[in-house]
Amino acid sequence: MYIYKTTGVCSKEIEFHVEASVLKEVKFYAGCPGSLQGISKLISGMDVDTAIEKLQGITCGGKNTSCPDQLAKALMLMKKEIA
């Protein structure tokens, strides 16, 4: 299980579990509950690289990041740490 402290978004933390490069569980703490639960369910079972590709660069309102973008950053950091 990985825990990532977000910056610049409503969600405060993302917790996720990866097995064999596949996202098994993603949980956002705080933020927009319905949207974040939907994102979590949609990407569960997705390959980490595919998730990064789909989520990276998404912005929210006038912010230069979003909760999905923060998850992409967390996944990239995880990959860097295990490499």
Side-chain angles (χ1 to χ4, degrees):
M1 187 68 70
Y2 295 90
I3 297 173
Y4 181 79
K5 301 285 185 189
T6 60
T7 58
V9 295
C10 299
S11 179
K12 302 297 178 205
E13 184 176 277
I14 306 169
E15 194 174 283
F16 58 96
H17 181 73
V18 175
E19 285 181 23
S21 297
V22 174
L23 282 160
K24 295 294 181 181
E25 183 181 348
V26 179
K27 217 177 206 183
F28 290 86
Y29 292 93
C32 306
S35 295
L36 296 175
Q37 283 179 357
I39 291 167
S40 296
K41 288 183 183 253
L42 287 169
I43 62 172
S44 182
M46 188 178 287
D47 177 78
V48 168
D49 290 330
T50 302
I52 291 169
E53 180 183 310
K54 290 181 179 291
L55 303 175
Q56 186 176 19
I58 294 174
T59 60
C60 183
K63 301 173 186 174
N64 63 355
T65 190
S66 65
C67 293
D69 182 59
Q70 288 290 296
L71 177 56
K73 290 177 188 307
L75 294 170
M76 289 186 291
L77 181 62
M78 178 209 65
K79 285 183 61 174
K80 186 177 178 181
E81 288 177 356
I82 62 173

